[in-house]
Amino acid sequence: MTDLRREQCAKALRCLRWVPTYAWQRLSRGLPSRQPVHLMFAIANHFEPEFMPGAPGRYADLDERERRVDKWCRGDRALSDRWRDVDGLPLRHTYFYPAEHYDKRLIDRLAAHCRGGWGEIEVHLHHGISVPDTAENTRRALLHFRDALAGHGCLSYLDDEGPPRYAFVHGNWALANSAGGRYCGVDDEMQILADTGCYADMTLPSAPDATQTAKINALYECKPPLNKRAPHREGHDLRAGRVPTRFPLIVQGPLGMNFDGFTARGFPQIENGELTAVNPPTMHRLTLCRKAGIRFNGRPDWLFVKLHCHGMIPQDTGALLGQPMQRFLSELLEAGAGGRYQTHFVTAREMINIILAACDGRDGNPGQYRDYRLRTRPTG
């Protein structure tokens, strides 16, 4: 076997390291029988208005970015205002905005949209693209953007104290240098996230990328120490009645196989929670996500579904703001009205608050815990 062939085989195995765990979960996890089931539904929007289709390394000019953001906000309000969850709230995206492309005017526009009740802004970061980044530069970039977002009134504070807190999504999936030095370069990135106020990482799942962990469909704390490479590959599952001891928490989206759809090579499609024009939201996909069973011991009737998208990719916008999403939301809320489950549209911050409430042993309607510990502050 040639060296190239060995590397290709090794890469394929890394991409599939999660499959044995998935097979076990299929056998051992079932949907809770107790009613009602509460479904916490969040969309992590990797929101990159600078994106230029088919032109890697090039970015849209500021006027074009402003046009895209304004168009998105109009379309999102028109869509979401029609559909309300069991708590009377509309679907809201969490906008993970790239720190390296911060512009005050763009964040002003998006923050105004969010203050109207249409979402929240958190931290996204692409770095180490051409050469590996350093810990010092990463820390500096995160603190600068964190404080900038706090100045816009976007971020939250834990128990109304201390520095601003934020949720995080790593660009190119390379969280804590899990891509072997590419798209990051910082082994102790998880410790830096903890030190700078990150309360949750929502990067995963990344399959079929090789950065995907074997641990899937889970809510957990990283196994210490946090200053080693990719500590999120292992961790202790959260459970009701046990308070987490370290941040950031790892909140994964659903990952599994869709045996009703097959690739050109005859393999089942991967269900990784990504919303695109090719793979728009459907009730069938939601069923697969629910079967992933992302919940924790002691609270089986609270299910967590975190999907993700790239809202500024032009070819996907129609699926996110048009008929596919309208049809999905209509069917989702109709199913809820029929008593199958109660849907709660949540932001990343609200999802973590509900998780923290469950860890503290709280029960009842999870919607009452949206501002449990992480709370935003009004501007002005």
Side-chain angles (χ1 to χ4, degrees), residues 212-258:
Q212 176 61 49
T213 59
K215 189 175 183 67
I216 63 172
N217 299 325
L219 310 170
Y220 60 101
E221 299 176 79
C222 289
K223 183 179 180 180
L226 297 185
N227 59 2
K228 68 179 181 180
R229 178 181 290 193
H232 60 289
R233 288 176 177 157
E234 300 179 86
H236 303 291
D237 291 342
L238 301 179
R239 60 185 304 136
R242 188 178 71 192
V243 179
T245 59
R246 69 186 65 88
F247 293 99
L249 304 180
I250 306 299
V251 176
Q252 297 184 334
L255 180 60
M257 296 290 190
N258 180 0

Side-chain angles (χ1 to χ4, degrees), residues 2 17 51 104 126 156 181 199 215 220 232 274 333-334:
T2 66
R17 65 180 64 164
F51 178 80
K104 183 179 185 302
H126 305 80
S156 57
Y199 60 80
K215 189 175 183 67
Y220 60 101
H232 60 289
E274 184 176 24
L333 297 180
E334 181 180 353

